[in-house]
Amino acid sequence: MHLTELPYRTLAIVRGTDRDAALRTVLVLAEEGITAAEVSLTTPDALWVIEQARRELGPHATLGAGTVLTAADAARAADAGASFLVTPGLGDDLRRHPVPELPLLIGALTPSEVIAANEYGALAVKLFPASLGGPGYLKALRDPFPGVPFVPVGGIDAASALAYLAVGAVAVGVGSPLIGDAAGGGDLNALRARAADWRTALTEEIAA
């Protein structure tokens, strides 16, 4: 999994209230070119959503599980077909127990948490919640951690995505500004429109 090669440098975060709507959301995003998605395990029947999306999208799709809190969560997500795992932080259970050998995005906010995530072997540090410090905080973190890949998550819209990428984020994780209410049964045409707007905004940045 190469974070700098994600389409539009974007990881879509699908956190829904309805399993069928969440599945439709993942599939519509893929149709619209936003092909990297994580399904939060807080979504009802999230493992079913991952299983079905994997069947639809094939073995090479960038499809992961989010809100992974324990080694058991990680194992179940891997069995369901997740190709990467995302945690909001690094808890003791994950430290103490073996997890599947899948790429991990580990949540961190403070310098000590960044060090812990990096020592654990994270593919990237999920800067969360990024909205607390904004792009300026990421810029400050990159001074002592120039080699750590950061993926800001939390309160990311198109404007802030561009700002984070400008100060060195390798990708951004985006939830409701892109997903809206689609994963709860909302209008899929509106989702397609938001995806088109997102593609336009991020394409201009990447081409710049």
Side-chain angles (χ1 to χ4, degrees):
M1 179 178 175
H2 300 288
L3 292 169
T4 57
E5 296 175 6
L6 295 183
Y8 310 104
R9 305 271 288 280
T10 297
L11 176 61
I13 301 169
V14 178
R15 185 189 305 274
T17 56
D18 177 271
R19 71 173 197 172
D20 295 304
L23 174 60
R24 289 193 295 270
T25 298
V26 173
L27 299 180
V28 166
L29 288 171
E31 290 171 5
E32 294 299 317
I34 299 175
T35 56
E38 69 168 85
V39 178
S40 170
L41 294 185
T42 60
T43 301
D45 294 322
L47 298 177
W48 177 88
V49 175
I50 294 169
E51 288 173 349
Q52 297 302 314
R54 176 62 66 199
R55 289 194 183 100
E56 292 285 338
L57 299 175
H60 302 299
T62 307
L63 178 65
T67 324
V68 172
L69 300 177
T70 66
D73 287 342
R76 286 191 292 266
D79 288 343
S83 56
F84 65 94
L85 306 170
V86 185
T87 82
L90 183 58
D92 287 342
D93 190 84
L94 287 172
R95 294 174 191 268
R96 293 196 310 263
H97 299 99
V99 299
E101 292 186 2
L102 293 176
L104 277 167
L105 280 70
I106 296 176
L109 182 63
T110 68
S112 293
E113 292 168 348
V114 171
I115 291 169
N118 199 45
E119 289 179 345
Y120 188 84
L123 172 71
V125 169
K126 168 186 166 178
L127 183 62
F128 177 79
S131 57
L132 285 181
Y137 182 60
L138 173 57
K139 187 174 186 296
L141 279 178
R142 291 196 69 244
D143 286 339
F145 303 114
V148 173
F150 285 96
V151 180
V153 175
I156 307 291
D157 58 14
S160 60
L162 300 180
Y164 283 114
L165 292 172
V167 296
V170 294
V172 295
V174 57
S176 57
L178 173 61
I179 306 303
D181 62 356
D187 186 351
L188 294 180
N189 287 329
L191 173 62
R192 292 183 188 278
R194 288 190 298 273
D197 289 343
W198 188 269
R199 290 197 314 267
T200 298
L202 272 292
T203 297
E204 290 174 354
E205 165 63 18
I206 292 166

